[in-house]
Amino acid sequence: MGLRLRSGVWYLRKNIGGKRVEVSTGYPAKQRPKAELAATKIISRLLDEHHGLASKADDDPVAAPTFGAYADTYRAVFSVKKSRPQRDEAILRWWKAAPVGKAATWANTPLDVFTPTMCEAALKHRREQGTLNPNWKDQRAAVSESTVQRERGLIQAVFERAKADRIITINPFENIDKEASEARNRILSEADEAKVIAAFNGLKPAPGETVGRGARWQRFVEFVLQTGLRLDEVQSIEPRDRAYRPGYLHVHGKGRKRRTVCNVCKRVGGKCRDVVLTTKAQQILDAQWAEEGRGWTQHESRYREVMLKAAQRAGILNTESYPHDSLSPHDLRHTYGHRFLQRGGDIFALSKHLGHSSVQVSEKHYAYLSHDDVGAKVLAVMEPQTPKPTPTPKPKRTHTPKQKGRTTRRR
């Protein structure tokens, strides 16, 4: 039959008139019988087109798979390569239940039926909903636009993969403009930083422990403020990461769906980079390994919980210096970037240090600082200060020696 399994989907590979043709049947690995039936009809159509004959009327056309079925194939093939496949699962679960008309949902709607209008309606419905988890205690009236656009990116990728598999000819999201969203900047001042660190003092020991873990969280806060690393980058630190290059830390960054192997640490996936460590950051790492014999390996939800409770105890939430209702580990990363630029750092160097994919990502998060810098430079050029006149130096007095001889007195 010439069926080949590629990326979890059956493809028909056949030579037609001396030319190799490879066409997707649109069916996943578990549906080989349907893929064989579809391949038979595809071969008949290709032969008719090659000999110049009109295509036969197909009484039983191969129907496009539904969004729910193809989304499951996409998740099984592509989502598993990501660092957080459960996030794709939660997003797809919500979009499968999104309404289409009065009775239908996205899950039971064929892929070739979707139109840009249906996608716009689904995006509007998503903006009106709360969090993805219906059992979440703190339901919000609306989600942020950045969250909606992040989910839209995944759904658009599903349709784009279906287009590459020749299941559909047009991606319904292609002509929908992507709404711009501003990055949320939660910057911690040095005074609030001292309050948060002090809030960890006197923490009670966890069950099964004899000593409180306040010092661990203090070291974590100070380390992120000294390096600007992401939470998952901090969690993946190993002792060998400091041995590759003295004074630096070899960081295993984002991009876990990449199947490349790092030449230094031999880890699979992710974009590794070397991050320079300040003297204080090196001391913090030494203290953490000496105290616990390991780095910070707790679950990510534990970090967010601890940071939020510490900010509540410190009393910094919804204040003039910090007008926000939460504090997360990623806010410490933004604080590092803010301080780096305020102290005269370069945006390009910051982008490389933080591991951003491009300088544009850094400019998006720290555009407000760039605007201030540009404004100061414009005023310096267009409104130069009038230089003060240089005072003219007074001539030095020269001593004239007295002449020897008679002097006449005036009578």
Side-chain angles (χ1 to χ4, degrees):
M1 180 62 68
L3 286 177
R4 297 290 185 273
L5 192 62
R6 184 161 68 91
S7 299
V9 179
W10 288 110
Y11 277 75
L12 170 66
R13 183 183 297 175
K14 191 172 183 62
N15 290 328
I16 304 293
K19 181 180 179 181
R20 173 175 285 188
V21 179
E22 188 172 357
V23 183
S24 170
T25 63
Y27 287 97
K30 296 182 179 179
Q31 299 182 5
R32 183 183 174 92
K34 293 185 178 180
E36 292 178 351
L37 177 62
T40 303
K41 297 178 180 180
I42 292 174
I43 292 173
S44 177
R45 175 176 57 82
L46 292 176
L47 289 174
D48 288 343
E49 293 177 356
H50 174 68
H51 293 292
L53 302 176
S55 299
K56 297 180 181 179
D58 198 349
D59 297 332
D60 186 20
V62 179
T66 61
F67 175 81
Y70 192 78
D72 292 339
T73 302
Y74 179 92
R75 183 169 57 84
V77 175
F78 298 101
S79 296
V80 293
K81 300 178 182 179
K82 300 181 180 180
S83 58
R84 297 178 182 177
Q86 65 275 13
R87 176 181 293 177
D88 285 6
E89 182 180 358
I91 295 174
L92 291 173
R93 187 187 308 117
W94 187 95
W95 281 82
K96 288 179 183 179
V100 177
K102 295 183 178 180
T105 61
W106 274 53
N108 52 28
T109 303
L111 289 173
D112 54 357
V113 176
F114 286 92
T115 62
T117 304
M118 296 169 59
C119 297
E120 286 276 18
L123 288 173
K124 180 178 180 297
H125 180 66
R126 182 68 188 95
R127 293 185 181 98
E128 297 172 353
Q129 300 304 305
T131 54
L132 286 173
N133 187 357
N135 298 324
W136 192 256
K137 293 180 289 186
D138 186 16
Q139 283 288 333
R140 293 172 293 181
V143 294
S144 63
E145 186 61 30
S146 59
T147 301
V148 176
Q149 295 304 324
R150 188 186 308 114
E151 296 179 10
R152 172 247 175 93
L154 173 62
I155 305 304
Q156 186 170 352
V158 173
F159 281 100
E160 193 63 29
R161 179 57 57 179
K163 181 181 176 181
D165 291 339
R166 300 185 182 181
I167 299 175
I168 58 177
T169 57
I170 299 177
N171 190 335
F173 281 94
E174 286 181 356
N175 298 323
I176 300 178
D177 295 333
K178 190 173 182 179
E179 299 290 339
S181 58
E182 295 185 359
R184 292 176 294 184
N185 297 305
R186 298 173 178 174
I187 309 302
L188 199 65
S189 65
E190 295 184 1
D192 290 339
E193 173 192 346
K195 294 179 182 178
V196 172
I197 293 178
F200 289 114
N201 293 328
L203 286 182
K204 296 181 179 179
E209 296 180 348
T210 57
V211 181
R213 294 301 182 183
R216 170 203 295 166
W217 301 114
Q218 288 175 342
R219 289 191 294 267
F220 170 76
V221 172
E222 293 176 345
F223 182 75
V224 177
L225 289 175
Q226 285 290 319
T227 59
L229 297 183
R230 300 181 181 93
L231 175 57
D232 57 341
E233 294 173 346
V234 175
Q235 291 174 306
S236 62
I237 295 177
E238 299 178 6
R240 59 170 178 159
D241 294 330
R242 299 182 62 183
Y244 298 117
R245 187 178 178 186
Y248 285 77
L249 182 69
H250 190 72
V251 177
H252 188 52
K254 289 181 65 176
R256 303 295 168 80
K257 58 184 179 181
R258 291 160 46 98
R259 308 314 298 168
T260 55
V261 179
C262 178
N263 295 327
V264 178
C265 63
K266 307 303 179 183
R267 293 187 178 106
V268 179
K271 298 179 181 179
C272 296
R273 69 185 190 279
D274 290 338
V275 174
V276 66
L277 293 177
T278 62
T279 303
K280 185 176 181 179
Q282 296 182 28
Q283 295 173 352
I284 294 173
L285 270 182
D286 294 337
Q288 176 65 21
W289 284 97
E291 181 70 23
E292 301 186 15
R294 60 177 181 174
W296 297 275
T297 57
Q298 292 74 23
H299 193 270
E300 58 183 18
S301 61
R302 175 61 175 162
Y303 288 88
R304 296 186 178 92
E305 178 187 1
V306 168
M307 293 296 300
L308 177 60
K309 291 183 178 180
Q312 292 172 347
R313 290 194 301 271
I316 67 170
L317 300 180
N318 298 318
T319 59
E320 184 178 356
S321 59
Y322 190 81
H324 309 288
D325 56 358
S326 64
L327 177 65
S328 68
H330 206 73
D331 298 332
L332 304 178
R333 174 177 166 88
H334 287 313
T335 302
Y336 172 87
H338 176 89
R339 295 178 180 178
F340 181 87
L341 293 178
Q342 270 200 333
R343 295 171 183 176
D346 180 68
I347 188 70
F348 182 79
L350 178 64
S351 177
K352 293 295 183 182
H353 179 82
L354 295 180
H356 288 161
S357 58
S358 64
V359 183
Q360 286 75 14
V361 177
S362 306
E363 291 178 343
K364 177 182 177 181
H365 287 285
Y366 305 104
Y368 60 97
L369 290 177
S370 301
H371 292 165
D372 296 340
D373 185 45
V374 170
K377 291 181 179 178
V378 169
L379 291 178
V381 173
M382 301 305 296
E383 295 184 0
Q385 296 181 356
T386 304
K388 296 181 179 180
T390 305
T392 305
K394 296 181 179 180
K396 295 182 179 180
R397 292 184 178 182
T398 57
H399 177 69
T400 304
K402 294 183 178 181
Q403 296 179 355
K404 294 182 180 182
R406 292 184 176 179
T407 57
T408 55
R409 294 183 178 180
R410 185 177 299 178
R411 295 179 179 178

